[in-house]
Amino acid sequence: MLSWLRVWTVLLLGALIPAGRPRLYTNRWAVRIPGGPGAADRVADKYGFLNMGQIGNLEDHYHFLHHRTMKRSTLSSRGNHSLIAMETSVKWVQQQMILHRKKRDRQSANFNDPKWEKMWYIHCDQNCLTDMNIKGAWNKGYTGKGVVVSILDDGIERQHPDLKQNYDSRASWDFNTGDPDPTPRYDATNENKHGTRCAGVVAAAANNSHCMVGIAYNARVGGVRMLDGDMTDMLEAQSLSLQQNYIDIYSSSWGPDDDGKTVDGPGPLAHMALENGIRKGRKGRGSIFVWASGNGGRNKDHCSCDGYTNSIYTISVSSTTQSGLKPWYLEECASTLATTYSSGDNLVTVGHCPSTVRGVLLTISGTS
Ligand SMILES: *[C@@H]1O[C@H](CO)[C@@H](O)[C@H](O)[C@H]1NC(C)=O
Ligand SMILES: *[C@@H]1O[C@H](CO)[C@@H](O)[C@H](O)[C@H]1NC(C)=O
Ligand SMILES: [Ca+2]
Ligand SMILES: [Ca+2]
């Protein structure tokens, strides 16, 4: 009976002690002895310790070293010196254990993606003025993890080697041909690469030895193919409300003509889709609609005349050059809420990387 009891006790204790590394005791003690350094020295002498002095700024707390104890041991030290705890002038004592602490700077380690060195807007190390403090956000844990983004554009290459890891078919649809696969239409002029490039900037896989690193490299990314065909108000509304409880962010880099003469915006259905999205989307927290503010600077176009970027339901994003100036294509208006470095200006994206998919498909379609 007794031995069974012992087995049960061992099992019970085993279950209570956290699994993992064993505790390790050191040969150093922290001791609290009021009465000044002289009192501490006397106690140290009596029990065979060396008084290494006050612990930092902690009054009455001393660092005692015991040379005849092992530097690291799984057992706490026993012996006459441990009777120090019984000494009346000793108010508190603790044999120091080895704690496990990890550096929190692992994100500043570099990625192995070949374009990483050129991604100055993420890490400005040389020949640049500034970056966007993206590493600062990463270090706080904001890497896109748990966020679903969909790019509303001319499609995305879901098989692209740098996109397929984060590609999310639930955040995707092809409204141009009415099927779930948003793969772009390949043609000789390669005009339908815009959506794929945007997706890469957002969520290209990090540290996969391929191409580049997305700003939100842990985000899920989908594509809505809707710009490669006739556009209608209904099609815009459908695109802007796809999976509204699943997709967090809809990213749109399109709009009415930037010709300096056009005043246009969402039709009644698209307007309702935006409003419904911000009220009910994302399970009631509101969909996030991000919009490019427009490229009509050369035509003196004004983004106030664009009802999408100017909408109170969208976050309108403008652009800056690498040197912090206004690019020639920039449109100015009051609705602009943020500015970012922009693609004309040495911004790396998957468009600059070999895409085996595109190569193969162009060959198949005979237009390579
Ligand atoms: C511990 O103290 C006892 C009694 O004072 C003494 O006999 C013994 O030798 C001491 N042991 C050590 C390891 O100092
Ligand atoms: C990237 O992968 C390499 C191994 O290929 C690894 O040594 C490195 O720590 C990784 N970098 C980051 C930031 O995770
Ligand atoms: Ca990559
Ligand atoms: Ca415009």
Side-chain angles (χ1 to χ4, degrees):
M1 272 311 277
L2 199 66
S3 66
W4 271 113
L5 199 63
R6 191 173 291 165
V7 169
W8 279 114
T9 312
V10 169
L11 285 177
L12 200 66
L13 280 177
L16 291 176
I17 295 168
R21 303 184 181 89
R23 285 157 173 258
L24 285 178
Y25 292 89
T26 69
N27 58 352
R28 291 161 197 278
W29 275 253
V31 190
R32 183 160 79 86
I33 302 170
D41 284 342
R42 279 192 296 280
V43 176
D45 280 350
K46 182 170 170 189
Y47 290 88
F49 288 94
L50 198 59
N51 182 3
M52 308 293 287
Q54 183 176 310
I55 301 170
N57 60 2
L58 308 179
E59 239 173 68
D60 297 339
H61 288 74
Y62 298 91
H63 168 189
F64 281 11
L65 177 65
H66 194 252
H67 279 301
R68 278 177 291 127
T69 295
M70 283 194 287
K71 271 189 182 169
R72 288 169 163 238
S73 167
T74 52
L75 298 174
S76 65
S77 189
R78 301 278 149 87
N80 288 355
H81 65 279
S82 60
L83 297 177
I84 188 177
M86 308 294 187
E87 184 74 22
T88 49
S89 61
V90 173
K91 302 302 175 200
W92 176 83
V93 57
Q94 185 188 58
Q95 186 176 359
Q96 295 298 290
M97 286 186 298
I98 292 175
L99 306 174
H100 298 282
R101 297 290 182 268
K102 275 175 124 176
K103 292 181 194 173
R104 297 233 167 99
D105 66 351
R106 73 201 137 85
Q107 298 288 6
S108 60
N110 283 335
F111 290 121
N112 60 22
D113 310 70
K115 300 276 181 197
W116 172 248
E117 292 305 319
K118 292 204 172 118
M119 301 186 73
W120 57 271
Y121 49 95
I122 293 183
H123 59 110
C124 178
D125 301 328
Q126 53 196 357
N127 302 329
C128 46
L129 293 173
T130 180
D131 59 36
M132 299 197 286
N133 196 20
I134 287 161
K135 274 186 154 184
W138 287 350
N139 285 335
K140 293 197 161 176
Y142 301 109
T143 60
K145 198 173 172 65
V147 178
V148 180
V149 184
S150 192
I151 311 292
L152 276 48
D153 213 289
D154 55 15
I156 81 170
E157 288 186 38
R158 62 186 170 82
Q159 306 271 30
H160 190 290
D162 228 12
L163 291 179
K164 64 181 177 191
Q165 183 182 320
N166 290 332
Y167 176 74
D168 190 335
S169 58
R170 271 185 79 188
S172 303
W173 195 260
D174 185 340
F175 283 108
N176 288 134
T177 51
D179 64 78
D181 180 357
T183 301
R185 179 176 53 89
Y186 296 95
D187 66 6
T189 56
N190 198 11
E191 64 178 297
N192 295 316
K193 61 189 177 196
H194 190 242
T196 298
R197 294 174 70 147
C198 293
V201 171
V202 173
N207 219 28
N208 62 346
S209 304
H210 189 83
C211 195
M212 62 171 300
V213 177
I215 279 173
Y217 58 82
N218 279 327
R220 313 281 303 152
V221 66
V224 175
R225 180 167 177 256
M226 39 88 78
L227 289 184
D228 193 18
D230 290 334
M231 184 64 81
T232 63
D233 186 22
M234 184 168 70
L235 198 149
E236 287 185 3
Q238 287 170 315
S239 302
L240 289 165
S241 54
L242 179 76
Q243 296 279 18
Q244 71 167 8
N245 285 324
Y246 183 69
I247 295 169
D248 298 302
I249 301 172
Y250 300 77
S251 176
S252 297
S253 300
W254 47 268
D257 275 342
D258 283 331
D259 57 6
K261 297 176 239 174
T262 305
V263 178
D264 200 357
L269 300 174
H271 184 92
M272 274 194 287
L274 288 171
E275 184 169 343
N276 271 332
I278 64 102
R279 285 188 196 282
K280 299 182 195 155
R282 223 161 44 106
K283 300 190 178 126
R285 289 169 297 159
S287 307
I288 298 165
F289 299 105
V290 178
W291 225 278
S293 67
N295 289 351
R298 186 168 50 189
N299 302 322
K300 301 258 183 313
D301 200 16
H302 198 282
C303 45
S304 283
C305 300
D306 170 336
Y308 297 87
T309 145
N310 200 24
S311 165
I312 59 171
Y313 305 133
T314 66
I315 294 173
S316 179
V317 183
S318 188
S319 49
T320 180
T321 67
Q322 192 171 357
S323 45
L325 301 173
K326 286 191 284 185
W328 56 267
Y329 51 83
L330 174 135
E331 295 182 31
E332 291 177 60
C333 69
S335 69
T336 301
L337 289 183
T339 284
T340 181
Y341 293 113
S342 170
S343 66
D345 203 45
N346 286 332
L347 208 76
V348 176
T349 172
V350 291
H352 300 108
C353 304
S355 157
T356 48
V357 184
R358 183 179 294 278
V360 168
L361 288 175
L362 285 176
T363 311
I364 293 171
S365 60
T367 50
S368 184

